[in-house]
Amino acid sequence: NRMTPVLYILMRTDLNSMNPGKAMAQASHAGSAFVHNAEPGYNVDEKLYEEWRQSTTQGFGTVLVLGVNEAQMRTAVEVAESFGVDKFPCDIIHDPTYPLQDGDTTHFIPVDTCGYIFGDKEDPLLEAIIGKFELHE
């Protein structure tokens, strides 16, 4: 059985303030959170994670960023969680200081910006959870 480990980042597209730079920063937060949570003691398929991590000499594997709205993000992560974090490690990224520009003033507000789900791309359950989402543009 060939495994294709992929970290899917579910980036919100329903925030007008989410410009490309902010989206890249939030995707980086999601990747960092995933790796942090995949440390020993977290329920993750170690074989799949190690295959992902060892895909490159720099310690990362395939990451695909999908465009979703808030409801789609929350539903996908909730469904993935229902199978157990050992099956599909997942989480929602909460940025406590998301910058929002209002004229000359920048407000730093708490926002759930994206989510992530990790799994085997060939898994039909994972396909059922994220299969209808398009790549983020």
Side-chain angles (χ1 to χ4, degrees), residues 11 14 29 31 36 40 52 55 59 74 78 87 100 113 124 132:
M11 185 60 58
D14 59 341
H29 296 335
H36 173 78
W52 179 84
S55 296
R74 291 189 187 286
E78 186 177 298
K87 176 71 173 166
L100 187 63
T113 58
K132 294 185 180 185

Side-chain angles (χ1 to χ4, degrees), residues 2 6 21 25 28 34 44 53 62 76 79 82 84 95 105 111 116 118:
R2 171 91 173 105
V6 175
S28 177
F34 166 66
V44 62
R53 195 178 66 76
T62 300
V79 171
S82 74
D95 187 339
T105 303
V111 176
Y116 70 82
F118 177 73

Side-chain angles (χ1 to χ4, degrees), residues 7 9 11-12 18 39 60 69-70 77 97 107 114 119:
L7 175 61
I9 297 176
M11 185 60 58
R12 288 184 59 185
M18 183 71 77
E39 293 298 316
F60 63 87
N69 63 38
E70 182 180 17
V77 170
T97 59
H107 303 278
C114 62

Side-chain angles (χ1 to χ4, degrees), residues 32-51:
S32 295
F34 166 66
V35 169
H36 173 78
N37 289 335
E39 293 298 316
Y42 186 71
N43 295 325
V44 62
D45 180 326
E46 290 184 26
K47 184 177 177 187
L48 189 64
Y49 175 70
E50 283 303 311
E51 186 169 326

Side-chain angles (χ1 to χ4, degrees), residues 80-81 83-90 117-119 123 125-126 129:
E81 279 180 329
F83 291 101
V85 291
D86 55 332
K87 176 71 173 166
F88 299 120
C90 58
I117 303 172
F118 177 73
D123 188 318
L125 288 175
L126 183 57
I129 296 169

